[in-house]
Amino acid sequence: MSHKRIPKRKAAFAAGTVVALGAAAILLPNANASQDGSSNDATAIAPKTLKATDASDLASQLQKVLGDAFAGSYFDADSRQLVVNVVSGDTSVVVQAKKAGAKVHVVDNSLTELAAGAKTLKEEATIPGTAWAVDPRTNKIQVTADSTVTGAKWNTLESTVKSLGSDMATVKKSAGTFKTFVSGGDAIFGGGARCSLGFNVTAGDGSPAFLTAGHCGVAAKQWSDTQDGQPIATVDQATFPGDGDFALVKYDDPATQAPSEVNVGGGQTVAISQAADAEVGLQVFRMGSTTGLADGQVLGLDATVNYPEGTVTGLIQTDVCAEPGDSGGSLFTQDGSAIGLTSGGSGDCTVGGETFFQPVTTALQAVGATLGAGDAAGGAGDQAGAGAGDEAGAGGEAGAGGEAGAGGDAGAGAGDQAGAGGDASASPGDEVGAGQEVGGDQAGGDVIGGEEAGNGQAAGDGQATGNGAGDATGNATGQSHN
């Protein structure tokens, strides 16, 4: 894992290399969009052309300014414009939003009304295998039921949704099963569980630490970067289920170095400079050991997911695919904003599905941490904003179906050195033998550096030893959890 001075690890993708390369072609080189379509005229009505992160900032500002008239927003990636929903009845609010640079949609449902609908769902239809989130593009609550919701459970859910009215909520079926994804990227091991490091952070007391999925934090107290190895970090706080899925894990060595970057394979990294809130329509990238790099869009915010282990609230819903072994991994943007930690979902990267993420901003606030490494960690302090990120592929506890395959830990060196390690097994519990190459598919030219990720790779039981840069990616696929 790219966190401390141990032998460097070669960045390695797991099974989903094709998906990873497709996303990498978009992500690299890192071409930041500019506000070239914006106007300096405060009275201009034409919507501004914005970067996605700037659109998110504008949405937050308008929510404060418009008050109860604000009914959600989303980013139109094609036009690069922020679309703001306002409740009908006040034309001055519409003008105000347009002057700020947003495109305006007048809608019927206020955020208060949508929240009341979600409360009814919670009270009457909290059924394992269901999830719901507000979709600002339709101004409705989108309810999803996985394949386990049948018979009386489905009838209860359907009748509850109908009671809200067709203009308030809709329901759809998912072919998969909602679950937290086990095992993962920059592998960490504890108590028979296998998870992944998410973003490096500095704890409130100044010590180096990292964020990972909360269902990992409740699975074991101490974590190692090698299977059956000595612990290197100890869980400080963990939340799951309940108000999120996140854990703060402090490195035992106060001199641990935690570079702020995400390894996207082929020796390429994306520097993480800040934490940002998600916006519906935002293009995002997820890194995980099983499927490598995948991209997609944010579909909903403040999502509620009813996992078998319990209900989790406040998540981000996306169409980014994920599979067992991707849990705990980083969700981030092209311009280096940390967005989320992989929590769980349904489907896979062949048929697609829904995937949910813990917002990084919420997790940081809850645990009292900041992104990146502080002075104690000593290697990433020169990065602006101490950005977070050793993206660690996914992770999750293996407890829900067994320990995921061979471990690839990712060693990390100082600042610019971030080993990302690992092996990638194709099935739960399978250990990848020495020399197993994952992510060895050549990305080609300007996609991810034109070099093969498998160079200098595995040693021993699937642990990669090449020169990775950035966060962890490799490792065995895992069990049923994200």
Side-chain angles (χ1 to χ4, degrees):
M1 269 152 264
S2 39
H3 60 268
K4 63 185 296 185
R5 289 184 181 277
I6 55 180
K8 295 185 288 185
R9 310 294 181 189
K10 185 68 180 180
F13 282 103
T17 306
V18 174
V19 175
L21 299 187
I26 302 171
L27 181 60
L28 298 171
N30 186 0
N32 290 332
S34 65
Q35 298 185 32
D36 50 22
S38 62
S39 170
N40 293 324
D41 185 356
T43 64
I45 298 299
K48 291 181 180 180
T49 300
L50 301 166
K51 293 190 298 183
T53 49
D54 291 336
S56 180
D57 291 341
L58 178 58
S60 297
Q61 294 168 16
L62 284 173
Q63 183 171 12
K64 296 176 182 177
V65 172
L66 301 181
D68 292 340
F70 180 87
S73 63
Y74 62 95
F75 182 65
D76 186 328
D78 293 331
S79 64
R80 290 168 54 208
Q81 294 173 346
L82 175 70
V83 181
V84 172
N85 294 336
V86 298
V87 179
S88 57
D90 189 344
T91 56
S92 65
V93 169
V94 174
V95 173
Q96 194 172 13
K98 286 184 176 180
K99 284 185 176 181
K103 184 176 181 179
V104 177
H105 278 172
V106 178
V107 297
D108 294 326
N109 297 320
S110 68
L111 290 182
T112 300
E113 291 169 329
L114 292 167
K119 182 179 179 181
T120 298
L121 287 165
K122 179 180 180 181
E123 292 172 346
E124 301 181 13
T126 296
I127 301 167
T130 61
W132 51 81
V134 172
D135 180 1
R137 285 172 288 199
T138 61
N139 189 228
K140 296 180 181 180
I141 302 170
Q142 177 63 64
V143 182
T144 306
D146 73 13
S147 59
T148 67
V149 182
T150 58
K153 294 179 181 179
W154 169 256
N155 293 338
T156 298
L157 179 65
E158 189 175 39
S159 63
T160 304
V161 171
K162 285 183 177 179
S163 73
L164 300 177
S166 60
D167 60 341
M168 178 67 70
T170 59
V171 62
K172 68 175 184 178
K173 275 279 195 178
S174 173
T177 302
F178 291 148
K179 55 191 178 291
T180 52
F181 297 136
V182 174
S183 94
D186 198 358
I188 52 176
F189 303 85
R194 174 195 179 91
C195 293
S196 292
L197 184 152
F199 290 102
N200 278 325
V201 299
T202 299
D205 62 2
S207 62
F210 62 84
L211 293 177
T212 189
H215 58 265
C216 301
V218 300
K221 185 69 174 177
Q222 291 185 306
W223 292 86
S224 172
D225 55 0
T226 59
Q227 194 166 20
D228 300 322
Q230 291 297 311
I232 63 163
T234 303
V235 174
D236 182 73
Q237 303 176 50
T239 297
F240 179 85
D243 298 330
D245 186 2
F246 57 89
L248 176 70
V249 188
K250 292 183 178 180
Y251 291 110
D252 296 333
D253 181 357
T256 296
Q257 298 184 349
S260 297
E261 54 192 21
V262 172
N263 188 305
V264 294
Q268 297 288 337
T269 62
V270 173
I272 300 299
S273 59
Q274 63 179 340
D277 293 324
E279 182 74 20
V280 170
L282 178 69
Q283 183 182 35
V284 286
F285 297 84
R286 176 201 51 73
M287 198 67 201
S289 66
T290 303
T291 55
L293 184 67
D295 70 300
Q297 286 192 353
V298 173
L299 300 180
L301 304 177
D302 197 21
T304 294
V305 185
N306 296 300
Y307 291 124
E309 299 90 339
T311 300
V312 179
T313 60
L315 301 182
I316 301 166
Q317 183 172 350
T318 77
D319 63 2
V320 183
C321 71
E323 297 182 6
D326 289 333
S327 200
S330 309
L331 187 73
F332 59 101
T333 64
Q334 178 176 335
D335 62 0
S337 295
I339 301 296
L341 305 166
T342 309
S343 172
S346 68
D348 54 39
C349 287
T350 299
V351 301
E354 303 80 18
T355 304
F356 301 92
F357 296 83
Q358 166 64 47
V360 166
T361 52
T362 304
L364 289 172
Q365 183 177 15
V367 302
T370 55
L371 275 177
D375 293 340
D382 57 343
Q383 295 187 355
D390 330 342
E391 183 271 338
E397 69 270 59
E403 182 174 301
D409 56 338
D416 57 346
Q417 173 189 338
D423 48 84
S425 79
S427 61
D430 286 342
E431 187 170 77
V432 176
Q436 175 71 42
E437 179 178 338
V438 260
D441 293 338
Q442 191 171 30
D446 58 353
V447 178
I448 41 181
E451 67 180 57
E452 295 190 22
N455 186 23
Q457 188 113 304
D461 61 352
Q463 293 199 203
T465 58
N467 287 323
D471 316 319
T473 55
N475 290 337
T477 66
Q479 247 304 36
S480 61
H481 285 41
N482 224 2

